[in-house]
Amino acid sequence: MEIRIDDLTSAEIAELLEEHLRDMYAASPPESVHALDLSKLRKPEITFWSAWVGSDLVGCGALKELEPGHAEIKSMRSANRFRGTGVGKKMLEHILQVARKRNYTRLSLETGTQDFFLPARKLYERYGFEYCGPFADYAEDPYSAFMTRVMN
């Protein structure tokens, strides 16, 4: 699997992010969806990666700097047909490696509380993320699970 910085201009990325947004809106009420669309991902504080196996786009992930030393994982997604193949694990490992190189001391994320999001929550737990309260601009929400990890 090749993970590379992506400029968010390809049709494949647009399609994967549309799939992501469709699933988020199907699983959560609209006011509880915090997934970013293409325009909101094209910000200087966000680094976006795509994951490829040959010519197949298999997943994506992003890192948003919130403040010096603290970043948020965004847009973690395995393409539906590649779920359960380790794409999320490899992307998370890549993001953790970049976070270490950037000397972040904390990584945080928001994901859903519904069963649809259970595999994601279990993955984050395996990598040392712990549940926490809302961070950045988030507010308490019964459909949101907030997690954080101190980097070492």
Side-chain angles (χ1 to χ4, degrees):
M1 180 183 318
E2 178 191 0
I3 297 175
R4 60 185 183 234
I5 290 179
D6 198 288
D7 65 7
L8 297 160
T9 59
S10 74
E12 293 95 341
I13 284 294
E15 184 178 314
L16 180 61
L17 290 171
E18 281 299 316
E19 177 184 275
H20 181 56
L21 288 169
R22 276 193 308 274
D23 282 351
M24 297 305 97
Y25 281 100
S28 303
E31 65 275 9
S32 297
V33 174
H34 303 287
L36 302 178
D37 64 18
L38 277 171
S39 67
K40 291 182 180 155
L41 286 166
R42 290 185 179 121
K43 302 287 184 194
E45 66 272 16
I46 297 177
T47 305
F48 185 91
W49 295 275
S50 55
W52 300 81
V53 174
S55 61
D56 289 324
L57 175 61
V58 299
C60 63
L63 195 56
K64 176 182 180 181
E65 184 166 307
L66 300 173
E67 60 190 23
H70 188 195
E72 178 182 6
I73 296 174
K74 296 294 293 181
S75 301
M76 280 281 292
R77 177 70 181 194
S78 297
N80 283 340
R81 64 190 187 111
F82 292 98
R83 287 202 172 166
T85 63
V87 172
K89 176 181 178 285
K90 293 227 189 278
M91 182 60 74
L92 182 57
E93 288 171 354
H94 179 79
I95 289 172
L96 289 170
Q97 181 181 29
V98 171
R100 282 186 200 96
K101 286 180 183 173
R102 293 182 181 177
N103 294 314
Y104 290 130
T105 56
R106 178 173 297 280
L107 279 185
S108 300
L109 64 94
E110 181 275 340
T111 189
T113 57
Q114 305 88 311
D115 288 345
F116 177 83
F117 300 99
L118 183 60
R121 293 193 311 270
K122 293 293 183 194
L123 173 66
Y124 297 131
E125 288 171 2
R126 281 195 305 274
Y127 280 83
F129 285 83
E130 298 176 346
Y131 291 93
C132 64
F135 59 92
D137 295 330
Y138 292 104
E140 284 291 345
D141 182 336
Y143 295 97
S144 288
F146 303 101
M147 302 179 82
T148 196
R149 175 188 160 153
V150 173
M151 299 297 294
N152 48 20

